[in-house]
């Protein structure tokens, strides 16, 4: 006898229940900080920590994707702006004035003002479930042949 309990790879199904698909949902463009051009230790910090500090009711259960853009150049990919910027799903966007050089779209070594949009997993119990599936196999009874 063999008992196998499993679910298709990548599935959220467990027992005989499959929760609804939970595609991430994109936020509007977020811009909570503005770089101070006269302070080399300043920059633009559209981090999740700063967003939450500015808007305590902001909820993003899990960031699955992120899009970052310069406010004044929304159609130019940030890698084409000539600035050193980090845009990650782990922290958000960071740009330090001290890392910038003269060149690119502005004639001063300061960060542009950036905006981010994040794709968040919906904050519903079904979508936040971390249920794992397991496979259990019972070994067959030994048999003897005569």
């Amino acid at each position: 006898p063999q008992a196998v309990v499993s679910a298709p790879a990548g599935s959220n199904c467990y027992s005989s229940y499959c929760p609804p698909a939970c595609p991430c949902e994109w936020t509007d463009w977020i811009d909570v900080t503005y770089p101070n051009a006269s302070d080399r230790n300043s920059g633009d910090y559209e981090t999740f920590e700063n967003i939450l500090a500015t808007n305590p009711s902001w909820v993003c259960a899990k960031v699955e994707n992120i899009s970052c853009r310069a406010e004044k150049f929304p159609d130019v990919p940030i890698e084409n702006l000539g600035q050193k910027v980090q845009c990650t799903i782990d922290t958000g966007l960071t740009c330090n004035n001290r890392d910038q050089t003269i060149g690119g779209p502005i004639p001063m070594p300061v960060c542009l003002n950036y905006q981010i949009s994040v794709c968040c997993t919906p904050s519903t119990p079904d979508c936040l479930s971390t249920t794992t599936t397991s496979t259990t196999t019972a070994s067959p009874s030994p048999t003897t042949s005569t």
Side-chain angles (χ1 to χ4, degrees), residues 6 27 32 35 39 61 64 66 71-72 75 80-81 83 89 91-92 95-96 98 103 113 120 126 138:
S6 65
T27 64
V32 295
D39 183 356
E64 292 188 29
I66 187 168
E71 177 193 30
K72 295 201 181 308
D75 299 322
N80 296 347
L81 292 171
Q83 297 217 312
I89 62 170
T91 56
C95 179
N96 296 304
R98 67 181 169 274
N113 186 43
C120 296
D126 283 346

Side-chain angles (χ1 to χ4, degrees), residues 22 61-62 121-131:
C22 297
K62 179 184 174 198
T121 300
S123 297
T124 62
D126 283 346
C127 295
L128 299 178
S129 172
T130 55
T131 302

Side-chain angles (χ1 to χ4, degrees), residues 1 4 9 15 24 30 41 51 57-59 63 70 79 84 87 95 97 100 111-112 122 132 135-136 142 146:
V4 178
S15 298
C24 64
I30 301 168
N41 293 318
I51 293 166
S57 64
W58 185 72
V59 176
V63 177
E79 55 272 9
K84 184 177 179 185
C87 177
C95 179
N97 284 347
Q100 309 313 315
C111 295
L112 292 165
T132 57
T135 302
T136 307
T146 53

